[in-house]
Amino acid sequence: HNYSGFEFLLPRFSQKNLAFYYVEKIKLKKKWTINAGLRFDFTEINIEKHVQTTANGNSEIRNPDILRDYFNYSLGAGFSKKIGLFTLVKFNFGKSFRTPTPQELSANGVHHGSFRHERGSDKLNPEEGLQFDMNLDYERKDYKISFSPYYNYFSNFIYLRPTGRFSPLPEAGQLYEFTEGPVIHWGGEISGEYHPTPSLHLQSAIAYTQLSNTETQLPLPFIPPLSIRNEIDYEWELENKKINQINFRVSYQYFAAQNRVDRNERTTPAYQLINVGIGLNPLILKREISFSLQINNLLNTAYF
């Protein structure tokens, strides 16, 4: 990675990755299906020291030399089967591993995509965790209901958090630093589809997620709040030589207020969005072409 320009965010670095993995799918009696995999990862990250001359002529070390070697493994297995009234039941569990990225190790500048001063830490360890999730599908001719809960425990989760300290850089606001800690992450989604007629389709879903640091007992930052999505889609099948189909859709999204925030993080109020779209499939040169027009946030709602 090379850089140029007048502002600093990441130093020069190189990263080498080597991985070996094996996956297997097994079908057992009574229609059980097992998916399993094992993966080994080797990673080397070499980050160059960066010294920057300030406006008054002094030298400032923006990041030190960093050389890291990582080796670990990840694995996972899943089971699926049709049980009773449920058309599909899935259970998955796994052990994950992730090396810190060069950004998490060495960033030290204003990220102009997010407009905040982000600072990495060369003391970060690899991220490791255990994941469990399941999926239940109940489906009939005109409707389908799905339930997808999950629970993850990370012994060492890497995340960006506000420090409560002002950045030394001009007009950079609060300083954000990459840190690590034991984290519990759980949540889920309930969704449904209903087709009262072949042309009318109704969809709805509610999703919630929560992350907490078990040492500090604080929520993690940047966590989306409870959300509800509803959509109506109507399709017109046309007996027309030029246009086969026209569809119109309207969606309503509700996002609750997020009051579970990390220290030095602002809460966010609830908001609602309405989106509309129209699509048609004309025949051009004997080929069906799809056109669509989507208007998001129809009422121009201000939200964060």
Side-chain angles (χ1 to χ4, degrees), residues 13 18 24-26 42 51 75 88 120 123 245 263 272 282 286:
F13 68 86
L18 179 64
E24 184 70 51
K25 183 176 182 178
I26 305 172
F42 305 83
V51 179
L75 57 86
L88 183 64
K123 297 179 176 60
Q245 184 188 88
R263 188 179 291 125
Q272 305 171 65
K286 297 183 179 180

Side-chain angles (χ1 to χ4, degrees), residues 197-270:
T197 69
S199 299
L200 183 60
H201 311 286
L202 309 177
Q203 300 180 38
S204 183
I206 179 170
Y208 180 75
T209 187
Q210 187 176 121
L211 287 91
S212 301
N213 186 312
T214 59
E215 277 187 353
T216 63
Q217 302 300 315
L218 290 171
L220 265 63
F222 310 115
I223 304 304
L226 173 85
S227 65
I228 300 173
R229 305 186 306 273
N230 298 295
E231 183 172 295
I232 301 175
D233 195 323
Y234 193 86
E235 300 174 351
W236 287 273
E237 297 289 343
L238 305 177
E239 296 181 0
N240 190 304
K241 294 182 179 180
K242 294 184 178 181
I243 299 178
N244 283 341
Q245 184 188 88
I246 298 177
N247 65 78
F248 177 75
R249 56 188 175 277
V250 178
S251 67
Y252 166 79
Q253 297 173 292
Y254 171 77
F255 297 86
Q258 180 57 284
N259 297 311
R260 291 192 75 259
V261 294
D262 196 1
R263 188 179 291 125
N264 305 310
E265 182 187 20
R266 297 180 64 181
T267 60
T268 54

Side-chain angles (χ1 to χ4, degrees), residues 78-298:
F79 305 85
S80 62
K81 183 187 178 183
K82 179 179 179 180
I83 301 177
L85 298 175
F86 296 100
T87 55
L88 183 64
V89 179
K90 291 182 180 179
F91 300 92
N92 300 289
F93 64 90
K95 182 261 180 189
S96 67
F97 164 77
R98 185 179 72 84
T99 61
T101 65
Q103 177 186 0
E104 293 166 339
L105 291 169
S106 63
N108 189 8
V110 177
H111 190 303
H112 286 282
S114 54
F115 297 101
R116 55 176 171 254
H117 183 177
E118 299 179 1
R119 178 184 289 171
S121 171
D122 60 347
K123 297 179 176 60
L124 294 176
N125 296 303
E127 182 178 284
E128 296 190 64
L130 298 173
Q131 284 82 43
F132 302 89
D133 67 81
M134 65 181 296
N135 178 256
L136 302 176
D137 286 348
Y138 181 79
E139 187 171 5
R140 286 295 180 263
K141 180 180 178 181
D142 297 331
Y143 64 92
K144 176 182 177 181
I145 300 174
S146 297
F147 177 50
S148 305
Y150 56 85
Y151 179 91
N152 305 321
Y153 172 74
F154 294 91
S155 59
N156 189 52
F157 189 76
I158 300 173
Y159 61 100
L160 185 68
R161 69 180 304 266
T163 64
R165 305 191 304 272
F166 282 106
S167 166
L169 302 178
E171 300 181 0
Q174 184 176 197
L175 176 65
Y176 290 76
E177 289 184 339
F178 285 98
T179 187
E180 59 189 358
V183 167
I184 290 177
H185 173 205
W186 64 272
E189 180 178 86
I190 300 175
S191 61
E193 300 178 16
Y194 178 47
H195 311 281
T197 69
S199 299
L200 183 60
H201 311 286
L202 309 177
Q203 300 180 38
S204 183
I206 179 170
Y208 180 75
T209 187
Q210 187 176 121
L211 287 91
S212 301
N213 186 312
T214 59
E215 277 187 353
T216 63
Q217 302 300 315
L218 290 171
L220 265 63
F222 310 115
I223 304 304
L226 173 85
S227 65
I228 300 173
R229 305 186 306 273
N230 298 295
E231 183 172 295
I232 301 175
D233 195 323
Y234 193 86
E235 300 174 351
W236 287 273
E237 297 289 343
L238 305 177
E239 296 181 0
N240 190 304
K241 294 182 179 180
K242 294 184 178 181
I243 299 178
N244 283 341
Q245 184 188 88
I246 298 177
N247 65 78
F248 177 75
R249 56 188 175 277
V250 178
S251 67
Y252 166 79
Q253 297 173 292
Y254 171 77
F255 297 86
Q258 180 57 284
N259 297 311
R260 291 192 75 259
V261 294
D262 196 1
R263 188 179 291 125
N264 305 310
E265 182 187 20
R266 297 180 64 181
T267 60
T268 54
Y271 61 94
Q272 305 171 65
L273 301 177
I274 296 178
N275 311 311
V276 296
I278 187 170
L280 65 155
N281 299 345
L283 287 174
I284 300 177
L285 299 177
K286 297 183 179 180
R287 294 180 180 272
E288 186 176 270
I289 308 296
S290 296
F291 292 96
S292 64
L293 174 66
Q294 178 84 13
I295 301 176
N296 294 324
N297 193 5
L298 181 66

